[in-house]
Amino acid sequence: MLKGKNFIILLFLFVGLYSTNLFSQSTQRKPSQNKLSSVIGRVIDEDSKEALLYVNVVLLNPKDSSLVSGGTTDEEGRFSFQSKSGNFIMRLTYMGYKTLYRKLEVKTPNVDLGDIGMKNSATSLGAVQVTAQRSMVEYKLDKRVINVDQNIVVAGGDATDVLQTLPSVSVDEDGNVTFRGNSNVKVLVDGKPSELLGSDLASVLQQIPASTIESVEEITNPSAKYDPEGMSGIINIKLKEKGNRGFNGNFSVSAGSATQKLLPRSNASVALNYSTKKFAIYGQGNVRYRNRSNNSSSIKTLFSHDTSIFSNIIYSKRGGENQSISGGIKVGADWYINKQNTITLSYGGNLNGSLSDYDWIDNKDLWLQNSPKSVTEKDTGGRNGQFHNINLNYTKLFDRKGQELTLDATYNIGNFSSWEKQTMDYDFIADTRKKDESSSSFNRAVATLNYVHPFSEKAQLEAGYNLNYSFGKSFQDYFLDGNSERNEDMSYTYENTEQIHAIYATFGYNFNEALSAQAGLRGELFKSNGTQTMINKTPKSFDQTYRSLYPTLHLSYKLTKIQSMQLSYSRRVNRPRGFELLPTVDLSNPESIRLGNPNLKPEYTDAYELGYSIILPKTTIFASAYYRQTNDRISWFNFLWNRENAINYGFDWALSIAGDQIDLGKLAMTSMNITKSYNYGLEIIIDQHITNWWELNLSGNLFGNYTDGSALGASEVNSFNWDLKLTSTMKLKNDWNIQLSGQYQAPRTTIQGDSKAMYFADIAIRKSILNKKGSLALRFSDIFNTRKRANRTLTEDYFNYNIRKPYSQSFIITFSYRFGETNHQQEAKKRKQPNNESSIMENGEYEE
């Protein structure tokens, strides 16, 4: 078994082995400076007619195949370079497409080749079969796109499994997502906030099968068009919806279990599409079952403020199982009214439920016998929810190229309920029973009107208005000592109305072929009104209103045909989520109390980033240096629960609910605003095609954090951290694919402690069957069973050390099948090679 440090050393050694000759791939012979001609053109996908970005276009000497000149295509698929006069062979190469060769005679000052189509096909190279596929990571000017269909280590998994394989993204055991070491990231699903799916992010991700995900976009510094939430950027999960013209579809089934314990999991999904020139109808459905389990242990030392050193030492163990099942459907239709107008209407629904059939917590006070802190608790509980989403989209294109108007409107309805029963067995008193029940409902409407107006080929204006309105109501009922009667001193109702009005505009200008710029400004008005109501008590209001401006600036400069730089700035915000503001008191855990904080303020971040990219025939390198400064940062905060601390930190409103827990040594867990923090780092991503059948993707993030928690009695932290990920993909003969993914997360330091390093590796094997329309995949997760999390917390009142180990080592088998044939495929069979184009096979022979 590889230790974490050894694993990383091997990665760096690997990088070093090929870095010495890396840039030699970019060596080019300069053409003669006499009588240079300009060669321009545009490269497109021969079937879909879409522009291809970063295609390598070069001119070769027919005599010795030496390089004469060349360049790469831009975001519109266009290329331009200088060449001397003469007869040449032009070669176009792009990952996943058949290499294209054309004879070219340069004899005039300007040579315009027009549109050049490339075929997405397969080439046989001796014993190795290379199937045309998109690169796993595609780089665009404002984002990078990760194609999930190339990532077989997530076969049979969910969106959580997908995200944890992405560059610079980490997902912990509770489903919390961090991006570039920052947990404040905005996650979108098809461009819409994930919270529109009516649940917390971890639950949303677990309900999205990996087989339904087309790609994931990472946007590190978004423009003013986007919602400014998410300090570290935006992650947009794009789902599969529509096929090409014709009737087609696909389905997938999978099943598996953990290896150390029988924890069955399975899921199935199906998608159908039918489209003509005027209409498109599509639908998909999925059902998912998952059984999860984990164990954790901790030792907590409570400090005394009198003559003795310790007041208590408490050892805790915890374990349990959770079974969940969910199912969802999505149906929709497109109406292509004419070339200028399109309407899309869709509906999505989801039902989910979970059952904790047994959870147990064993607390033992090692310092005192017959301590009230010694307790064994057994829990049962469940959760149910349903969610409905209706979406309407209208797009109008104008006669001017690039001019368009879009309206996107979404309405959501959600209802959720949960219950939990606890039996607490103390060492010296009778068993205690209690029950908690909660339910909530919400309605949310989101609408965006967006207009794009190009003044010329160099200048473009984009402007719009966004409305986000929601109303929610929740009930929290407590039943103590096994009574069926509701405890009115603790139970409450909470209603909340939230609205965000935003207007934005961006203006882009291309100064020349090398330099372009975009400036933007977004203004928002935010209002939140919440009311907590309890029997025989005056209702409490928790209201917030603020106005904010969010400027953005993006500069792009092309150094050479294969090198470019980007400089960007944006102002971001993190608005407290509804569940964070909710004045809830969760007493279900004998170790801790979870508190909502209705006094949370938003945090604001100024983000700066400088990026560099170079695209070589077999290597792509992307590097980015970034700096983010945050004021009023929202941080997870723990303190010993007693009356003095409750008043000091502003949670005296919770004493009437949790007052009976004050003397039991519980920890209070909540979110708080701290003074300031800043984050800086360097991110490097390398795509390396070692051979035509072997590709490596290496990503590393080295980052530092400064956090000042002194205002809350915590420490001032200045730490440096790093993460590494390596993915190796091999496409072998007879349609076999093998993928190995490993990652390492270095230790972290927080304002109240630290966490230990974590590393793990996954492997998957996939075989195409049934004439390449079907596939079988076997995935084995956490090969060395090393995935666990260890944390330490130190305050003036206590020290706590916790280790949590899920049953993460598991296997899953997946069968997928696609059927139907699109009109694009039918047309491709009939299409003949143009008379003015020739191609050369890999052995050098021409094919007319």
Side-chain angles (χ1 to χ4, degrees), residues 282-558:
Y282 51 91
Q284 62 177 242
N286 65 82
V287 61
R288 181 174 182 82
Y289 172 81
R290 189 169 184 178
N291 195 336
R292 293 172 295 167
S293 179
N294 64 76
N295 291 310
S296 66
S297 61
S298 66
I299 186 163
K300 177 173 58 182
T301 302
L302 304 180
F303 300 143
S304 175
H305 296 286
D306 51 27
T307 56
S308 61
I309 300 177
F310 307 122
S311 61
N312 296 95
I313 300 178
I314 302 171
Y315 175 70
S316 300
K317 294 186 298 181
R318 181 170 188 165
E321 289 187 12
N322 178 274
Q323 302 177 60
S324 62
I325 185 169
S326 62
I329 62 170
K330 185 171 185 177
V331 294
D334 296 335
W335 179 21
Y336 310 112
I337 303 172
N338 49 45
K339 291 183 178 181
Q340 286 77 35
N341 297 274
T342 303
I343 294 178
T344 298
L345 180 65
S346 65
Y347 163 80
N350 183 276
L351 297 174
N352 61 82
S354 64
L355 177 65
S356 299
D357 51 5
Y358 86 87
D359 280 313
W360 55 267
I361 305 171
D362 187 10
N363 276 13
K364 187 67 177 178
D365 193 329
L366 305 180
W367 194 257
L368 298 174
Q369 293 184 346
N370 297 329
S371 169
K373 300 176 181 64
S374 296
V375 59
T376 298
E377 178 178 319
K378 293 184 179 181
D379 297 346
T380 58
R383 178 175 180 174
N384 297 289
Q386 57 175 298
F387 167 79
H388 306 276
N389 169 283
I390 300 174
N391 181 260
L392 174 66
N393 176 272
Y394 169 70
T395 301
K396 178 177 178 56
L397 303 179
F398 297 87
D399 292 335
R400 182 192 294 264
K401 182 181 178 181
Q403 184 182 9
E404 68 175 37
L405 176 71
T406 59
L407 171 64
D408 193 79
T410 301
Y411 186 71
N412 305 272
I413 301 173
N415 293 281
F416 306 91
S417 62
S418 64
W419 60 274
E420 185 172 26
K421 294 181 180 180
Q422 301 118 24
T423 301
M424 288 167 284
D425 181 10
Y426 293 91
D427 285 351
F428 64 100
I429 61 176
D431 290 357
T432 301
R433 293 180 175 84
K434 63 178 182 177
K435 181 176 68 172
D436 303 336
E437 293 181 355
S438 66
S439 61
S440 61
S441 62
F442 79 96
N443 295 270
R444 183 185 293 267
V446 180
T448 301
L449 182 66
N450 189 76
Y451 174 69
V452 180
H453 185 87
F455 295 99
S456 65
E457 291 185 359
K458 291 187 175 182
Q460 176 177 289
L461 174 69
E462 184 169 8
Y465 167 76
N466 176 257
L467 167 68
N468 191 324
Y469 178 87
S470 66
F471 172 76
K473 188 173 185 178
S474 61
F475 303 86
Q476 184 69 49
D477 297 331
Y478 294 94
F479 303 86
L480 300 181
D481 300 324
N483 296 328
S484 59
E485 185 176 352
R486 182 175 183 260
N487 187 302
E488 303 296 353
D489 292 329
M490 297 174 59
S491 303
Y492 62 88
T493 301
Y494 184 75
E495 296 184 4
N496 178 261
T497 300
E498 181 179 291
Q499 53 183 309
I500 304 173
H501 300 270
I503 56 174
Y504 60 86
T506 63
F507 180 76
Y509 189 81
N510 296 324
F511 294 92
N512 49 49
E513 291 185 359
L515 178 63
S516 61
Q518 183 193 80
L521 182 65
R522 185 183 183 98
E524 289 191 349
L525 170 63
F526 177 90
K527 289 185 177 182
S528 177
N529 308 102
T531 303
Q532 181 191 46
T533 303
M534 303 178 71
I535 299 298
N536 300 324
K537 292 184 180 180
T538 302
K540 295 183 178 179
S541 297
F542 304 93
D543 300 335
Q544 290 187 355
T545 299
Y546 49 87
R547 297 172 177 83
S548 304
L549 292 176
Y550 304 97
T552 64
L553 178 65
H554 292 74
L555 298 174
S556 177
Y557 184 73
K558 185 178 291 186

Side-chain angles (χ1 to χ4, degrees), residues 502-668:
I503 56 174
Y504 60 86
T506 63
F507 180 76
Y509 189 81
N510 296 324
F511 294 92
N512 49 49
E513 291 185 359
L515 178 63
S516 61
Q518 183 193 80
L521 182 65
R522 185 183 183 98
E524 289 191 349
L525 170 63
F526 177 90
K527 289 185 177 182
S528 177
N529 308 102
T531 303
Q532 181 191 46
T533 303
M534 303 178 71
I535 299 298
N536 300 324
K537 292 184 180 180
T538 302
K540 295 183 178 179
S541 297
F542 304 93
D543 300 335
Q544 290 187 355
T545 299
Y546 49 87
R547 297 172 177 83
S548 304
L549 292 176
Y550 304 97
T552 64
L553 178 65
H554 292 74
L555 298 174
S556 177
Y557 184 73
K558 185 178 291 186
L559 301 172
T560 66
K561 296 297 182 181
I562 62 174
Q563 299 180 80
S564 63
M565 296 188 68
Q566 300 84 33
L567 178 65
S568 60
Y569 162 79
S570 68
R571 189 172 190 243
R572 315 286 300 158
V573 67
N574 177 26
R575 308 183 191 94
R577 299 269 61 81
F579 67 89
E580 293 176 305
L581 294 171
L582 196 65
T584 56
V585 181
D586 184 354
L587 306 176
S588 61
N589 191 335
E591 303 172 87
S592 61
I593 300 172
R594 285 182 177 264
L595 299 169
N597 186 357
N599 296 314
L600 275 181
K601 298 182 295 183
E603 64 178 26
Y604 293 93
T605 294
D606 293 292
Y608 306 84
E609 184 169 344
L610 176 64
Y612 168 81
S613 62
I614 180 170
I615 303 168
L616 306 170
K618 290 188 177 182
T619 307
T620 298
I621 301 175
F622 174 83
S624 177
Y626 57 90
Y627 175 84
R628 299 188 294 254
Q629 179 172 316
T630 303
N631 296 317
D632 292 324
R633 178 189 167 187
I634 298 175
S635 177
W636 194 247
F637 189 74
N638 303 321
F639 60 90
L640 188 67
W641 180 247
N642 56 45
R643 181 173 295 275
E644 179 182 356
N645 285 340
I647 296 174
N648 182 45
Y649 293 117
F651 291 92
D652 49 310
W653 56 267
L655 288 171
S656 60
I657 301 174
D660 62 325
Q661 307 287 322
I662 283 181
D663 297 325
L664 299 183
K666 283 197 173 189
L667 306 181

Side-chain angles (χ1 to χ4, degrees), residues 240-252 269-275 281-284 773-774 816-822 825:
K240 299 175 181 177
E241 282 190 359
K242 309 168 190 177
N244 294 315
R245 191 174 299 163
F247 175 74
N248 55 85
N250 63 80
F251 69 87
S252 174
S269 63
V270 61
L272 299 173
N273 308 276
Y274 177 75
S275 64
I281 302 173
Y282 51 91
Q284 62 177 242
K773 290 189 174 182
S816 300
Y817 184 78
R818 62 182 185 276
F819 51 88
E821 187 173 42
T822 68
Q825 293 171 319

Side-chain angles (χ1 to χ4, degrees), residues 545-798:
T545 299
Y546 49 87
R547 297 172 177 83
S548 304
L549 292 176
Y550 304 97
T552 64
L553 178 65
H554 292 74
L555 298 174
S556 177
Y557 184 73
K558 185 178 291 186
L559 301 172
T560 66
K561 296 297 182 181
I562 62 174
Q563 299 180 80
S564 63
M565 296 188 68
Q566 300 84 33
L567 178 65
S568 60
Y569 162 79
S570 68
R571 189 172 190 243
R572 315 286 300 158
V573 67
N574 177 26
R575 308 183 191 94
R577 299 269 61 81
F579 67 89
E580 293 176 305
L581 294 171
L582 196 65
T584 56
V585 181
D586 184 354
L587 306 176
S588 61
N589 191 335
E591 303 172 87
S592 61
I593 300 172
R594 285 182 177 264
L595 299 169
N597 186 357
N599 296 314
L600 275 181
K601 298 182 295 183
E603 64 178 26
Y604 293 93
T605 294
D606 293 292
Y608 306 84
E609 184 169 344
L610 176 64
Y612 168 81
S613 62
I614 180 170
I615 303 168
L616 306 170
K618 290 188 177 182
T619 307
T620 298
I621 301 175
F622 174 83
S624 177
Y626 57 90
Y627 175 84
R628 299 188 294 254
Q629 179 172 316
T630 303
N631 296 317
D632 292 324
R633 178 189 167 187
I634 298 175
S635 177
W636 194 247
F637 189 74
N638 303 321
F639 60 90
L640 188 67
W641 180 247
N642 56 45
R643 181 173 295 275
E644 179 182 356
N645 285 340
I647 296 174
N648 182 45
Y649 293 117
F651 291 92
D652 49 310
W653 56 267
L655 288 171
S656 60
I657 301 174
D660 62 325
Q661 307 287 322
I662 283 181
D663 297 325
L664 299 183
K666 283 197 173 189
L667 306 181
M669 308 169 68
T670 188
S671 296
M672 299 278 281
N673 289 105
I674 59 178
T675 307
K676 65 178 179 179
S677 71
Y678 60 78
N679 172 254
Y680 56 92
L682 175 65
E683 180 184 46
I684 300 176
I685 302 175
I686 301 174
D687 280 323
Q688 177 66 49
H689 298 282
I690 298 178
T691 68
N692 288 328
W693 54 270
W694 187 9
E695 177 185 359
L696 291 179
N697 178 271
L698 175 66
S699 63
N701 185 32
L702 294 81
F703 59 97
N705 288 304
Y706 169 80
T707 305
D708 184 5
S710 57
L712 298 178
S715 61
E716 187 179 33
V717 174
N718 198 344
S719 65
F720 190 78
N721 309 290
W722 52 282
D723 297 333
L724 276 180
K725 290 186 180 181
L726 174 66
T727 300
S728 170
T729 304
M730 292 174 283
K731 306 176 181 70
L732 306 179
K733 62 179 296 187
N734 299 324
D735 299 315
W736 284 93
N737 291 263
I738 299 177
Q739 190 172 82
L740 176 67
S741 175
Q743 52 185 289
Y744 178 86
Q745 298 176 19
R748 301 282 195 269
T749 302
T750 68
I751 60 174
Q752 290 186 300
D754 58 20
S755 60
K756 300 299 182 181
M758 182 176 70
Y759 60 95
F760 58 93
D762 303 328
I763 190 171
I765 301 173
R766 182 170 64 187
K767 175 72 168 68
S768 295
I769 58 176
L770 302 176
N771 196 27
K772 297 184 181 180
K773 290 189 174 182
S775 67
L776 277 175
L778 173 63
R779 168 190 168 199
F780 188 56
S781 301
D782 196 7
I783 302 171
F784 306 112
N785 198 27
T786 55
R787 187 169 188 178
K788 63 180 179 180
R789 180 74 65 179
N791 301 285
R792 297 185 299 182
T793 304
L794 176 64
T795 73
E796 63 179 8
D797 294 315
Y798 72 93

